[in-house]
Amino acid sequence: MKFLYDDESFSFEALRAAGYAAYGGADLGEVLVTCREIPEGDEEAWSAKWGATASRVERIGRDALAAGHKISAREALLRASNYYRCADFYRRENPAADAESARLAKASQQAFADAAALLDIPARAVRIPYEDTTLPGYLFFVDDSGASRPTVIYHGGYDSTLEENYLALVAGALRRGYNVLTFDGPGQGSSLRDQGLHFRPDWEAVVTPAVDFALTVSELDANKLVLIGTSLGGYLAARAAAFEHRIAACVLHDGVYDFHEVVAELANRAAATPGGIEEMMAQDTQVRWVVRNGEWTLGFSCLEEMVEAVEVYTMAGIADRITCPTLVLDAENDQFFKGQPQRLVDEMTCHKELILFREDEGAGEHCHEGAISLFHQRTFDWLDTQLAP
């Protein structure tokens, strides 16, 4: 679904940013006036213009807060956090040494933290014990009654951040009576940037500590813990659910069967292209971003290393170990994992359901960007049914 740009990656990321208007993470006018100043495929302009919009909107929030207008401050700071995330998105040539990338990421984190403190029920920042360190997270509560409620444990994927997770899922869950524990796992957000933790295929080693932590919080119903993973998180959550059986239900948004196939297919195309992967990256925004982001989040120096390293990122021979009811989502026009949700469902033996989101309902993009209300309606209606007494 084209949105503002012919460049597929720019179109998708602009739609992603705008879609968060559903939960106060954007204003359509701000998205439109920002994007009209950014030429097709110009990553430098993308960073600069989104950064300028983020800074302007943050000032609105800071001024509102100083004047005692807490709701106005919260709304502006939520939008600023999303816009700072956008500004940093394509800065992946050498993010570990990019001071501007670090500044934008930190600004997104701080704007969100300040907004989260202004929610009707303020979010609680937490650290989840993980091996010899901790993972940053937030606990969100429906209310302050102390009641034990069904709880979503939520993580993102290849490029998600803890702050974006609120807009992507948490806000919709809270409206429907679910508490939420969300976090940056290895390879994500500040776990990657501040701690140098890279993705790992055995994601149960990440989710099990999160479940252990959740069980220490009285407001989180131990019998109604739901695991949801987004994008590459559709593999990560599936892998975790295959080994962590305290999960009552799982949602794969969207289903991923084999990450290695995607990386290997890119390498094969590069091998058949004059100039190889360097020429493809020079010509294609999406290819350039996928490779650069993968090198950073996975911790490798080239595509060839990535291909070999991600061979184990597969659900082949593992999918039938998932025992909890599982909802697998699919997108008609998915540009990353097309066809993989069905393959995953075909190998699962648990109670399962596949839902295809179609282009003609405005939901055919990867992870249904631009159709977040429909995504949440179908997901949480299914969960309500599964968790009913």
Side-chain angles (χ1 to χ4, degrees), residues 150-154 169 172-173 176-180 223-229 247-252 324-329 351 353 355 375-389:
T151 297
V152 174
I153 298 175
Y154 178 58
L169 189 104
R176 291 166 171 85
Y178 290 79
N179 293 332
V180 183
N223 297 313
K224 295 184 177 181
L225 296 180
V226 176
L227 178 63
I228 302 180
I247 299 297
C250 183
V251 179
L252 308 178
C324 65
T326 300
L327 176 63
V328 182
L329 306 183
H351 174 73
E353 184 171 345
I355 297 179
F375 155 47
H376 287 177
Q377 175 257 310
R378 289 175 173 169
T379 295
F380 287 104
D381 288 0
W382 183 87
L383 282 172
D384 288 347
T385 301
Q386 299 304 313
L387 300 180

Side-chain angles (χ1 to χ4, degrees), residues 129-146:
Y130 168 74
E131 295 189 341
D132 59 352
T133 184
T134 59
L135 302 175
Y138 279 106
L139 271 170
F140 295 88
F141 299 103
V142 173
D143 56 35
D144 58 3
S145 68

Side-chain angles (χ1 to χ4, degrees), residues 30-269:
E30 291 170 347
V31 173
L32 294 175
V33 298
T34 300
C35 288
R36 76 183 183 189
E37 298 297 321
I38 304 172
E40 292 275 357
D42 188 335
E43 295 176 6
E44 183 176 344
W46 177 281
S47 182
K49 297 302 181 181
W50 277 112
T53 296
S55 180
R56 177 177 62 79
V57 175
E58 182 184 8
R59 285 196 299 273
I60 294 173
R62 300 297 177 197
D63 290 346
L65 186 59
H69 306 303
K70 292 186 177 180
I71 294 176
S72 296
R74 179 181 69 201
E75 291 177 347
L77 290 170
L78 275 177
R79 302 199 311 276
S81 178
N82 183 31
Y83 299 158
Y84 279 124
R85 179 195 62 80
C86 290
D88 180 51
F89 186 81
Y90 290 108
R91 303 187 69 94
R92 291 297 176 264
E93 185 171 4
N94 187 11
D98 184 342
E100 178 63 3
S101 176
R103 184 191 73 82
L104 293 168
K106 187 61 67 177
S108 179
Q109 293 165 8
Q110 190 60 58
F112 180 80
D114 293 340
L118 298 172
L119 293 171
D120 292 339
I121 307 299
R124 184 189 305 173
V126 299
R127 305 292 306 194
I128 299 171
Y130 168 74
E131 295 189 341
D132 59 352
T133 184
T134 59
L135 302 175
Y138 279 106
L139 271 170
F140 295 88
F141 299 103
V142 173
D143 56 35
D144 58 3
S145 68
S148 178
R149 296 182 181 275
T151 297
V152 174
I153 298 175
Y154 178 58
H155 59 74
Y158 195 59
D159 61 342
S160 305
T161 67
L162 174 60
E163 295 71 36
E164 183 186 16
N165 290 353
Y166 173 81
L167 300 169
L169 189 104
V170 174
L174 292 171
R175 290 183 180 185
R176 291 166 171 85
Y178 290 79
N179 293 332
V180 183
L181 170 63
T182 187
F183 61 90
D184 274 335
Q188 300 171 334
S190 60
S191 291
L192 170 66
R193 189 178 291 274
D194 298 337
Q195 297 175 264
L197 300 176
H198 297 105
F199 278 120
R200 57 187 298 170
D202 54 339
W203 202 250
E204 66 274 15
V206 180
V207 166
T208 288
V211 173
D212 290 341
F213 180 85
L215 295 178
T216 69
V217 182
S218 62
E219 295 94 334
L220 310 188
D221 188 337
N223 297 313
K224 295 184 177 181
L225 296 180
V226 176
L227 178 63
I228 302 180
T230 289
S231 192
L232 181 59
Y235 159 75
L236 300 172
R239 165 75 195 213
F243 295 94
E244 173 49 77
H245 296 300
R246 291 174 291 179
I247 299 297
C250 183
V251 179
L252 308 178
H253 171 230
D254 290 344
V256 177
Y257 180 75
D258 195 313
F259 180 44
H260 173 257
E261 288 186 2
V262 176
V263 181
E265 191 275 334
L266 175 58
N268 290 337
R269 282 197 290 134

Side-chain angles (χ1 to χ4, degrees), residues 1-3 8 11-12 15 253-254 330-335 357-359 362-371:
M1 179 168 58
K2 178 181 175 181
F3 183 67
E8 183 179 38
S11 172
F12 180 80
L15 180 64
H253 171 230
D254 290 344
D330 195 359
E332 185 176 13
N333 293 338
D334 194 296
Q335 68 267 49
F357 288 73
R358 304 190 314 273
E359 173 72 9
E365 294 298 296
H366 176 64
C367 290
H368 329 298
E369 299 295 355

